[in-house]
Amino acid sequence: MDIYSGKDSLSLLKQAILQCKDEALYERKEKATFILPTNQAFTAYLKENKYDNMAAIPVPILKDILRYHIVKAVVNFSDPALASNKPIAYTTEKGQIMYLSHTSTYVGLINEGTNNQWQIRTSNLVPNNGVIHVVDHIVFLSEKTK
């Protein structure tokens, strides 16, 4: 799957994937959910973490980011089981949990009910090896609120 072909808004994701030599994560045959951070997401991450550019981010950190953004299941936000206030826990390629759900208008949410949650910008793109959702944030493991 060429996830970033012709998509200028995903050029920094492409750079991260190539920098980590992780093309196989996205070209695999096993089905998964790919949450793709936009250039806006990476630009904010660079600024927040005081990195001058993508090359300045240590490869292990980039690998962790990429692996947390891939869920080991196919999650389509048109699924009524993901209704708001009922987030479902999924395991990521990093081995951590990501909670996915959607609002009553089927807008995808990441880690709803935790200390940090994010909204999906574009969802339910269906390549031959899973589903793609686009997000304007670098998301990370977040603890459930008490």
Side-chain angles (χ1 to χ4, degrees), residues 113-143:
T114 69
N115 294 328
N116 293 290
Q117 77 176 26
W118 299 271
Q119 187 173 328
I120 298 288
R121 184 182 84 175
T122 304
S123 62
N124 301 339
L125 306 172
V126 184
N128 60 358
N129 64 344
V131 66
I132 293 174
H133 307 297
V134 179
V135 65
D136 286 330
H137 306 277
I138 300 294
V139 300
F140 51 86
L141 177 68
S142 186
E143 296 298 320

Side-chain angles (χ1 to χ4, degrees), residues 40-104:
Q40 177 182 333
F42 277 105
T43 300
Y45 181 84
L46 290 170
K47 184 177 180 180
E48 289 165 11
N49 292 281
K50 299 181 178 27
Y51 292 117
D52 292 332
N53 53 46
M54 292 294 290
I57 303 173
V59 169
I61 291 173
L62 269 182
K63 283 182 173 283
D64 283 349
I65 290 170
L66 294 177
R67 282 165 177 71
Y68 188 72
H69 284 78
I70 299 174
V71 171
K72 294 179 168 187
V74 176
V75 183
N76 191 309
F77 289 116
S78 61
D79 182 352
L82 294 168
S84 186
N85 297 321
K86 296 181 184 176
I88 298 173
Y90 295 93
T91 303
T92 66
E93 278 295 320
K94 188 171 186 245
Q96 294 177 310
I97 296 297
M98 177 184 288
Y99 296 93
L100 296 174
S101 58
H102 64 69
T103 66
S104 60

Side-chain angles (χ1 to χ4, degrees), residues 1 25-26 28 32-36 69-70 129-133:
M1 150 179 79
L25 278 175
Y26 298 87
R28 69 220 233 151
T33 298
F34 303 93
I35 298 172
L36 307 182
H69 284 78
I70 299 174
N129 64 344
V131 66
I132 293 174
H133 307 297

